[in-house]
Amino acid sequence: QVRLVESGGGSVQAGGSLRLSCTPSTALVNTYCVGWFRQAPGKERKEIGSIFLSDGRTWLADSVKGRFSVSRDDANNTLYLQMDSLKPDDTGLYTCATTDWTSTCQYNFWGQGTQVTVSS
């Protein structure tokens, strides 16, 4: 069982930046990937980024590519979502997720999320 805690959300004006953190309760040994999700008000949750822990490859949705980045800090056992050039459409609840599967991103552990609000 892995618990995930997100932090770093808040309110920011359009064009600003935030860095979200995702801290697992245990070291993610043999974990295939960690994903970042966003749920905008009234919309379904969507994956916007992920990192594959074996080699550090990252994936970003087209809607955030060029503005967001996903990274990891193994020394602090923390994953990050750096968000730059924020837009009002980026408003939502941001959640990280991971999996105990070793070869697929079938997420089965979820954090509670951190709220991001971007004003115009």
Side-chain angles (χ1 to χ4, degrees):
Q1 191 81 8
V2 178
R3 294 186 305 277
L4 301 170
V5 178
E6 302 92 341
S7 62
S11 297
V12 64
Q13 289 190 327
S17 298
L18 286 173
R19 187 178 75 164
L20 306 185
S21 300
C22 172
T23 303
S25 58
T26 62
L28 298 179
V29 179
N30 295 324
T31 297
Y32 189 62
C33 56
V34 174
W36 283 97
F37 290 76
R38 176 173 71 199
Q39 185 167 21
K43 296 185 178 180
E44 63 180 25
R45 183 172 59 193
K46 291 186 177 181
E47 188 173 13
I48 57 168
S50 60
I51 182 167
F52 298 87
L53 299 187
S54 62
D55 58 9
R57 285 179 300 122
T58 60
W59 169 84
L60 292 166
D62 288 344
S63 60
V64 303
K65 198 172 295 182
R67 301 186 297 120
F68 291 13
S69 61
V70 181
S71 63
R72 63 199 264 195
D73 181 347
D74 291 339
N76 291 305
N77 192 40
T78 300
L79 293 302
Y80 298 104
L81 178 67
Q82 177 67 42
M83 308 187 295
D84 299 318
S85 301
L86 282 161
K87 304 175 181 179
D89 285 348
D90 295 319
T91 293
L93 182 68
Y94 285 72
T95 305
C96 64
T98 191
T99 177
D100 55 3
W101 290 81
T102 58
S103 61
T104 179
C105 293
Q106 187 172 331
Y107 299 110
N108 52 354
F109 298 107
W110 296 83
Q112 293 298 308
T114 185
Q115 179 68 35
V116 172
T117 302
V118 184
S119 58
S120 58

